[in-house]
Amino acid sequence: MDYLFAVLLSSLSSASILLIATIGLAVVFGLMGVINLAHGEFIMFGAYAALTATQQGVPFILSIPIAVLLTMIFGALVEILIIRRLYGRMFDTMLATWGLSLALYQCAVIIFGTVSPGIGMPQMSIAIGEYSLAVYPLLMIVVAASMLIGVYYLLTKSVYGMKARAAIQVPHMARAIGINSSNTNTLTFAIGCGLAGFAGAVLLPIVPATPSMGFAFVIKSFLIVVVAGPVTLAGSALSAIGMGGGASVISSFMTSVAGDIFFFALTLLLLRFYPLGISSRWRFKL
C-alpha cells in the first residue's frame, strides 16, 4: 500500500507538471484559436531567463517573476510582428510559429550551447513507509491548482477577461462598444506566453534548461488541449490528470516507453469517440 500511494502521488505530481506546461497553450489556443507551435520554445525562454537571473545572484524565487515578465514582453512582440497578420489563417499561423520555434532553438544553441548548468532541486523529501519522495515535485500539485484558479478568475471575473472573450468571439461588436481588439489580443497572447515562461522557470529545478527542453512538453501539451475540447481550462485539467497521470502510473509499473504508448493510445481512443474534445457536450464553456 505504501508503494501504491507513493506511485499515485508521484503520478499526480507528473500530471501537474504537464498541466503547468500546458495552461499557456490552452489559453492561446482555446481563447484565441491560435496554434502556437513555438510554445515549447517560450517554456525554454522562461527557463533560460530564470537561469540567467539566478546566475547573476538573484534568488530563484525572484527569478520566476522576472522570467514571466521577459517572456510576456517577447510574446507581445511576436504577436505584433507575426501573429497579428495571420488571424483566421490557421495553417499560416502554424507555419510561422514553427519557423519561430526553429529560430529560437538555434539561437539558444548559439548563445547558451547544448548543455547548461542546473540550479539543483531543494533537498527536502517526505517519507511514505519505506519510500521517499522529493517535496519540490509534489509542490507542483499546488502550483498547478493555483494556476488554474488564477487563470479562471482572470478570464471570468476581471474586466480584462470579459474584454478578451468579447474581442475573440464577436470582434465587430467589441469594436463597436469601444474595446481595442488589437491591444486586447496582444495582451492575451502575452499572458499565454507568460504562463509558458512561468512553467519554464518554476520547473527549472526539475527540468534543466536546454535548447530542446520544450520538445518534451509541446507535443503532449498540444494533444491535451485538443482532447480537452472547447472547455479549455477544466478540459485540460481533466485531460492532463487522466492522460499524463495514467501514463506515469504505467511507467512506474512497466517502462517509460509503455507509458508513452498508453498516452498516445488513449489520445487516439478519446478522439475517436469525442472528435470535438471530451468537453464538447459540457454546459459551461471555460
Side-chain angles (χ1 to χ4, degrees):
M1 290 301 296
D2 289 341
Y3 178 70
L4 180 60
F5 183 68
V7 167
L8 292 177
L9 197 57
S10 177
S11 298
L12 181 59
S13 172
S14 298
S16 299
I17 290 171
L18 186 55
L19 181 59
I20 290 170
T22 301
I23 292 178
L25 181 63
V27 170
V28 172
F29 179 61
L31 192 62
M32 303 181 69
V34 173
I35 299 178
N36 180 16
L37 295 183
H39 177 73
E41 279 59 46
F42 282 104
I43 294 176
M44 174 196 70
F45 189 100
Y48 274 118
L51 177 62
T52 303
T54 57
Q55 290 174 341
Q56 299 302 315
V58 178
F60 173 66
I61 193 67
L62 296 180
S63 72
I64 296 176
I66 294 174
V68 172
L69 179 60
L70 292 177
T71 312
M72 286 185 67
I73 293 173
F74 182 65
L77 291 175
V78 169
E79 196 279 339
I80 293 171
L81 298 175
I82 301 175
I83 305 299
R84 179 174 295 183
R85 295 164 170 78
L86 301 174
Y87 286 121
R89 296 157 56 186
M90 184 173 293
F91 184 70
D92 292 344
T93 305
M94 292 174 62
L95 285 177
T97 53
W98 179 58
L100 178 64
S101 169
L102 296 177
L104 291 177
Y105 170 80
Q106 198 59 46
C107 286
V109 171
I110 294 172
I111 297 172
F112 299 102
T114 56
V115 179
S116 300
I119 64 171
M121 188 186 301
Q123 298 300 311
M124 294 183 291
S125 62
I126 60 171
I128 302 176
E130 299 178 354
Y131 305 96
S132 179
L133 296 176
V135 170
Y136 192 82
L138 297 180
L139 184 62
M140 296 302 101
I141 300 173
V142 178
V143 172
S146 301
M147 286 181 70
L148 277 176
I149 294 171
V151 173
Y152 174 80
Y153 275 92
L154 176 66
L155 297 181
T156 60
K157 305 300 182 181
S158 68
V159 174
Y160 154 74
M162 290 184 285
K163 288 182 177 180
R165 285 180 287 134
I168 295 298
Q169 295 171 5
V170 280
H172 58 283
M173 184 63 71
R175 287 192 295 269
I177 61 175
I179 296 175
N180 190 321
S181 298
S182 296
N183 290 345
T184 303
N185 289 342
T186 300
L187 180 58
T188 302
F189 191 83
I191 288 174
C193 295
L195 291 170
F198 174 82
V202 78
L203 296 178
L204 186 58
I206 303 173
V207 185
T210 63
S212 61
M213 66 177 296
F215 296 157
F217 294 109
V218 68
I219 295 176
K220 288 185 176 181
S221 296
F222 179 71
L223 291 178
I224 283 174
V225 172
V226 171
V227 170
V231 186
T232 307
L233 294 181
S236 295
L238 184 60
S239 298
I241 292 173
M243 296 162 60
S248 181
V249 170
I250 296 296
S251 299
S252 298
F253 287 100
M254 300 176 68
T255 65
S256 59
V257 174
D260 288 338
I261 292 174
F262 172 85
F263 184 94
F264 293 112
L266 184 58
T267 299
L268 291 174
L269 185 64
L270 290 173
L271 291 178
R272 171 64 180 83
F273 290 100
Y274 301 96
L276 299 179
I278 60 174
S279 64
S280 57
R281 297 181 182 178
W282 294 2
R283 290 187 178 181
F284 63 98
K285 296 298 180 183
L286 192 67

